[in-house]
Amino acid sequence: MVLDQRRHDWLNQRGHLGLPESAANTIDTLRRIFLALGGDESLLAQARTTALPNDYFHEPTSTLVEVDEFQHFTSHRLITLSMYPDNVVLGFDREQYIGLCTQTSARADRYRATKDAKCFGEGGRQRQRAYHDALRDLAAPALGHTGVIRAPALDQDGAAAWRAVWHRLPAPRH
């Protein structure tokens, strides 16, 4: 199985403001998430359209694959997950992720807690990470990709985390 690290033009530093109009419903949800996390939309509007990296991409199924270490399971990520529409197509178990955030957020919230992030200000790196995770989760299916497959790697063993979830890849498109 071949996974590559391709970037996508729609997944860029402008976040929901960089998405095409065809993702209008998703844009509204992402805007609400961005603002709930304390993001400054005027700064986001000034951001470049430089593509954000993703962990992996599986071309035959048009699936983004993300390996999430413990720092992804913050109280901010819990906020984003709670704001997802009920009908969103996900390639991971949202309830499992909510549980992992609940269990891990005390530790994860301390990781780089003082690191600043554009659009989220002082100490905003964790909020930015949570927003970018939501951007991938919600925009990918809205733009014709399958749901993002997320592999929780709380112990930092990404290979083992991938082995536990690879079966979630859908059948290749023809």
Side-chain angles (χ1 to χ4, degrees):
M1 176 176 323
V2 176
L3 298 174
D4 64 39
Q5 294 182 317
R6 178 177 322 153
R7 292 178 186 233
H8 303 274
D9 291 340
W10 56 265
L11 180 59
N12 64 65
Q13 293 178 3
R14 293 194 74 223
H16 60 276
L17 298 180
L19 293 175
E21 284 299 315
S22 60
N25 291 339
T26 299
I27 291 169
D28 292 340
T29 300
L30 285 165
R31 176 177 286 119
R32 286 192 300 276
I33 288 170
F34 181 81
L35 295 173
L37 293 171
D40 183 334
E41 213 167 21
S42 67
L43 293 176
L44 189 63
Q46 298 172 23
R48 295 181 178 161
T49 57
T50 305
L52 296 171
N54 57 283
D55 289 342
Y56 301 104
F57 184 69
H58 186 249
E59 175 70 34
T61 61
S62 190
T63 304
L64 279 75
V65 176
E66 295 290 321
V67 177
D68 295 329
E69 300 85 358
F70 83 93
Q71 65 265 25
H72 286 262
F73 298 96
T74 63
S75 58
H76 306 293
R77 183 67 167 128
L78 188 58
I79 290 168
T80 68
L81 292 164
S82 71
M83 295 179 73
Y84 284 12
D86 290 334
N87 63 346
V88 69
V89 175
L90 299 173
F92 65 97
D93 182 339
R94 180 168 53 166
E95 293 305 316
Q96 176 195 25
Y97 262 59
I98 287 171
L100 291 170
C101 287
T102 301
Q103 294 168 11
T104 310
S105 63
R107 175 179 170 222
D109 284 353
R110 291 190 302 269
Y111 182 78
R112 295 192 176 165
T114 60
K115 188 171 182 177
D116 298 347
K118 185 173 183 174
C119 302
F120 291 97
E122 188 174 321
R125 178 64 183 107
Q126 296 165 346
R127 289 177 282 138
Q128 180 189 56
R129 180 182 297 111
Y131 172 71
H132 285 165
D133 284 349
L135 176 64
R136 288 174 179 87
D137 291 347
L138 301 179
L143 295 171
H145 297 278
T146 58
V148 176
I149 294 181
R150 292 194 169 276
L154 298 175
D155 61 0
Q156 308 294 320
D157 187 347
W162 170 242
R163 284 191 301 274
V165 301
W166 73 268
H167 65 280
R168 292 185 180 164
L169 280 174
R173 296 177 178 183
H174 297 288

